[in-house]
Amino acid sequence: MPLNGDTTNPFVTSSKGSKSPGPRRKADPDGMAGLREDISRMNLVQRGEYVPPLPEKQSKDVHRGRDLDRFVPARPPASRSSSTLADMHDSSRDTSFDQSSASLSASLGLAPSNRRILSFRAAPPPASHATSHLDTQRNYLLHSSASNNRGTATSGNVAQTAEKRKPHLPERVLDAPGFLDDYYLNLIDWSSANRVAIGLGALSYVWDAETGDVTALGEETEESTAVCSVSWSSDGAYLAIGNEAGEVEIWDVEESKKMRVMGGHNARVPSLSWNGHVLSSGCRDGSIFHHDVRIAQHKVMELRGHAAEVCGLKWRPDGVLLASGGNDNVVNCWDARVGQNVMGEQTRVVPKWTKRNHTAAVKALAWCPWQPNLLATGGGSQDQHIHFWSTTTGARTSSLHAGSQVTSLVWSPHSKEILSTHGYPNNNITLWAYPSLQKQYDVPAHDHRILASSLSPDGCTVATAAGDENLKFWKIWEPKVVKKSEGDERDARGQSKVRIR
């Protein structure tokens, strides 16, 4: 409200009854004092130009019991409860940011938008197919090194334990020039004598994991045909080789001598499996022969259960059941005790059971070493599933979607886990826990699809061969620790004596 007696402010009205101001200054020759007096007598309130607002009376309850900041004006209780100093700060900052963004957009000739000026309009272009595998391996190595630097928080966590023993790099890599990029062939096998056999073109080679020596079986000639399958006998002394001409060769590896050639098939032989002195061979025409390698008339039985190429063939270790998979998407389980009558004459053999759940060729077959009635099968690129079967009832116990073409399966003899190798599109190896079927880890193993794998005699290392013409050795499992008196193949620390040079 106006101050009483203040006539020095030209915008304040003098009130009635106010005392006259002090004695005026003497007149100056220029007449400025008179001008000031005239201005001081002007009453602007009467002309309606300015009326100073009257201050509101504050309630005593508002100020009672608390101290107010003298620089923050008092507000009604409702406004104080609905807004805070932080809200006012954020709103002012957003307003200033919007104004600056609008002015910057206008200066650059851009349309007003809520998007940031320096922002990606679209995702970066994907890597080309030629270098996509390099990007995958680069990201994998970066991730693995970061995981190693971080360490583990709890030792009891299963996932962290699996990550700790994850093979980031292979133990060894060997060149395999001439390795055929054919899904239906089985060109690698690891013997109980710690030798690895591999088919390269028209010849088979044996690599001794103890000494590192490589031996070629035979010499390539004009009549030589491509090797389609290799398989070691149970004692590791003999190697069976199936070729493109439909023949099966038996080699004495120690002598590097071909023992015999068994014919009879009309097409190539892509799968082989031993059962004692009986060698079973799968043919491209869908037939399966049993050969008794001890006698001249080697063919002792023929099985007909597939309409297409038999690309998977595996005897159970006890020799009672034989599993076969074909390009007709069929899995058959054969009983070795059926097929001959009491007179020794052959009869038509039918499978114990047949499964058609896969929607692509079935090449990957694996018998569980610690549960004999459990069989695992894997399908091709159009299926990408792994099924588990009870051979006692023929029922499917469980299944999982692997996400890639399944080319081989390997059970662990030391733990309840199974390893799967894959082709298109990931070319990786994956470790699964059983029976939970939880993925333990993935490893981008090769630049091209993995075509075959084999387990070392100690059950710890897996060899994989792929279309990139590389043979890689991966340390997947640790050896089972046993007492010194129980295992003559292990040293005092429980480490396996199997070595890879």
Side-chain angles (χ1 to χ4, degrees):
M1 60 188 300
L3 300 175
N4 295 331
D6 186 3
T7 59
T8 60
N9 190 346
F11 300 102
V12 177
T13 305
S14 60
S15 59
K16 294 181 180 181
S18 61
K19 296 181 181 181
S20 61
R24 290 180 294 178
R25 297 178 181 179
K26 295 182 179 181
D28 57 328
D30 296 334
M32 295 300 297
L35 181 59
R36 295 192 188 96
E37 182 179 359
D38 294 337
I39 294 176
S40 64
R41 293 177 182 177
M42 295 177 62
N43 189 355
L44 299 180
V45 175
Q46 295 179 358
R47 298 181 183 180
E49 293 185 7
Y50 173 75
V51 178
L54 297 176
E56 297 180 0
K57 294 183 179 181
Q58 298 292 335
S59 175
K60 294 182 180 180
D61 296 336
V62 175
H63 301 279
R64 183 179 301 166
R66 65 185 182 91
D67 296 331
L68 296 179
D69 193 334
R70 60 191 294 259
F71 296 106
V72 179
R75 294 182 297 273
S79 62
R80 285 197 300 269
S81 61
S82 61
S83 62
T84 61
L85 185 61
D87 296 337
M88 296 175 61
H89 176 70
D90 293 339
S91 61
S92 62
R93 181 178 58 185
D94 295 341
T95 304
S96 60
F97 177 77
D98 295 340
Q99 292 177 355
S100 61
S101 299
S103 60
L104 182 59
S105 300
S107 62
L108 295 177
L110 301 176
S113 175
N114 293 329
R115 300 182 56 179
R116 297 175 59 187
I117 296 178
L118 297 178
S119 62
F120 289 106
R121 295 299 181 92
S128 63
H129 178 71
T131 60
S132 60
H133 65 279
L134 299 178
D135 295 338
T136 303
Q137 291 184 349
R138 186 182 303 109
N139 294 333
Y140 168 76
L141 292 176
L142 291 175
H143 175 72
S144 63
S145 61
S147 301
N148 291 337
N149 293 334
R150 285 196 300 267
T152 57
T154 58
S155 58
N157 192 306
V158 177
Q160 292 177 348
T161 302
E163 181 67 24
K164 183 177 181 180
R165 58 188 175 91
K166 180 178 180 179
H168 300 301
L169 294 173
E171 296 283 319
R172 188 181 181 93
V173 180
L174 299 178
D175 290 331
F179 189 85
L180 297 179
D181 188 3
D182 192 330
Y183 171 79
Y184 304 100
L185 305 185
N186 294 271
L187 297 174
I188 182 176
D189 196 21
W190 204 328
S191 75
S192 59
N194 204 18
R195 296 189 181 99
V196 179
I198 184 171
L200 302 177
L203 293 179
S204 295
Y205 295 84
V206 176
W207 178 72
D208 194 325
E210 294 286 343
T211 63
D213 297 335
V214 179
T215 304
L217 300 180
E219 296 181 357
E220 186 173 359
T221 62
E222 295 180 357
E223 291 79 15
S224 300
T225 58
V227 176
C228 299
S229 57
V230 294
S231 180
W232 288 99
S233 60
S234 58
D235 58 0
Y238 299 97
L239 178 66
I241 302 173
N243 58 28
E244 187 77 24
E247 299 174 339
V248 179
E249 302 175 356
I250 306 297
W251 284 80
D252 186 341
V253 178
E254 291 291 343
E255 302 293 336
S256 296
K257 180 181 179 181
K258 185 189 298 184
M259 303 299 295
R260 67 181 302 179
V261 178
M262 300 179 294
H265 285 296
N266 298 322
R268 70 179 186 178
V269 182
S271 57
L272 295 169
S273 183
W274 286 87
N275 179 23
H277 57 270
V278 175
L279 174 64
S280 299
S281 59
C283 183
R284 194 172 194 172
D285 61 5
S287 64
I288 300 174
F289 288 179
H290 290 338
H291 308 271
D292 191 335
V293 298
R294 302 171 300 175
I295 59 178
Q297 299 298 325
H298 52 85
K299 181 182 175 181
V300 295
M301 187 175 294
E302 180 177 350
L303 307 178
R304 288 283 181 176
H306 293 277
E309 186 170 18
V310 181
C311 51
L313 198 64
K314 192 76 67 175
W315 278 101
R316 199 167 74 174
D318 60 3
V320 176
L321 296 178
L322 173 67
S324 62
N327 197 22
D328 53 358
N329 312 340
V330 172
V331 178
N332 286 325
C333 184
W334 308 86
D335 194 332
R337 297 164 293 186
V338 178
Q340 292 184 350
N341 56 25
V342 294
M343 301 299 295
E345 298 176 354
Q346 293 186 13
T347 60
R348 178 176 175 79
V349 181
V350 295
K352 180 180 179 181
W353 48 257
T354 299
K355 300 299 177 182
R356 306 180 186 274
N357 299 75
H358 288 286
T359 58
V362 183
K363 175 188 177 183
L365 303 171
W367 292 96
C368 181
W370 33 265
Q371 188 173 337
N373 64 338
L374 180 60
L375 174 68
T377 62
S381 57
Q382 299 301 320
D383 180 74
Q384 301 182 358
H385 279 79
I386 301 174
H387 297 316
F388 299 88
W389 311 92
S390 171
T391 57
T392 304
T393 62
R396 182 176 57 176
T397 59
S398 56
S399 298
L400 66 88
H401 184 263
S404 297
Q405 178 187 45
V406 184
T407 58
S408 67
L409 295 169
V410 179
W411 285 99
S412 170
H414 308 306
S415 60
K416 291 187 176 182
E417 294 174 329
I418 185 171
L419 181 79
S420 59
T421 66
H422 302 279
Y424 302 129
N426 297 330
N427 310 327
N428 61 326
I429 59 178
T430 306
L431 185 67
W432 309 87
Y434 187 86
S436 64
L437 303 184
Q438 292 183 352
K439 182 186 294 187
Q440 303 299 297
Y441 57 73
D442 265 331
V443 177
H446 288 267
D447 297 339
H448 293 270
R449 62 176 178 174
I450 303 173
L451 298 169
S453 68
S454 188
L455 183 64
S456 63
D458 63 350
C460 299
T461 305
V462 175
T464 58
D468 56 5
E469 298 186 345
N470 283 327
L471 179 62
K472 297 184 179 182
F473 298 85
W474 306 88
K475 186 66 173 296
I476 305 298
W477 296 288
E478 295 296 331
K480 184 178 180 180
V481 178
V482 296
K483 295 181 180 178
K484 184 178 180 180
S485 58
E486 294 181 0
D488 54 356
E489 289 297 325
R490 303 181 185 277
D491 57 19
R493 296 176 298 175
Q495 299 295 325
S496 174
K497 292 185 178 181
V498 176
R499 299 187 300 273
I500 298 177
R501 293 185 179 272

